[in-house]
Amino acid sequence: MTMSSRLPEPYSQGSSANLADILERVLDKGIVIAGDIRINLLDIELLTIKLRLIVASVDKAKEMGIDWWEDDPALSSGARRNELARENAELRERLARLEELEPTREQQQEEAQ
């Protein structure tokens, strides 16, 4: 007895076009997935995890007011430069304050004579 089993093709033309359409729609419109996980023991809440996932294109995210990656030094070279410039300015200010507090060597020499 011979059984001919036919397996579906993993990537047919129709399904890839549908996948591309779905991906385009999701990136264009955006999708939000939200959920909460709560762990209780004897009616005592031990842990709550709130999950929020937004899938959207960069343009759509900016349109919604989401642009956290622009200010994250790990993700943006501009943000890293800004952080370094701010840190450098703070260090210069601290150094200037320390130099004002400590008497100069010339003053110390005059007092020693």
Side-chain angles (χ1 to χ4, degrees), residues 99-111:
E99 287 175 344
E100 288 174 4
L101 292 176
E102 186 173 315
T104 62
R105 287 187 181 167
E106 293 174 1
Q107 290 174 345
Q108 289 175 352
Q109 287 175 354
E110 289 174 4
E111 290 173 0

Side-chain angles (χ1 to χ4, degrees), residues 57-75:
S57 67
V58 170
D59 293 334
K60 186 64 176 179
K62 283 184 177 181
E63 190 178 302
M64 293 186 300
I66 302 169
D67 60 353
W68 52 264
W69 61 89
E70 291 180 346
D71 298 326
D72 188 338
L75 300 173

Side-chain angles (χ1 to χ4, degrees), residues 2-28:
T2 15
M3 290 180 28
S4 66
S5 64
R6 224 178 141 183
L7 296 174
E9 295 180 21
Y11 302 105
S12 64
Q13 285 289 344
S15 68
S16 66
N18 290 336
L19 181 61
D21 291 341
I22 291 169
L23 184 60
E24 182 179 348
R25 179 174 286 177
V26 165
L27 290 177
D28 185 45

Side-chain angles (χ1 to χ4, degrees), residues 18-101:
N18 290 336
L19 181 61
D21 291 341
I22 291 169
L23 184 60
E24 182 179 348
R25 179 174 286 177
V26 165
L27 290 177
D28 185 45
K29 303 283 184 189
I31 187 170
V32 176
I33 300 170
D36 296 342
I37 298 172
R38 290 188 181 154
I39 298 175
N40 295 337
L41 179 64
L42 301 173
D43 292 332
I44 299 172
E45 188 172 316
L46 298 176
L47 177 68
T48 298
I49 300 173
K50 295 186 177 207
L51 303 171
R52 305 295 182 259
L53 173 67
I54 298 174
V55 179
S57 67
V58 170
D59 293 334
K60 186 64 176 179
K62 283 184 177 181
E63 190 178 302
M64 293 186 300
I66 302 169
D67 60 353
W68 52 264
W69 61 89
E70 291 180 346
D71 298 326
D72 188 338
L75 300 173
S76 170
S77 60
R80 180 71 180 144
R81 280 192 298 271
N82 291 341
E83 183 184 14
L84 288 174
R86 182 185 52 77
E87 186 178 343
N88 191 3
E90 287 175 4
L91 289 173
R92 288 179 188 269
E93 183 180 312
R94 287 178 62 190
L95 181 62
R97 278 185 279 153
L98 287 173
E99 287 175 344
E100 288 174 4
L101 292 176

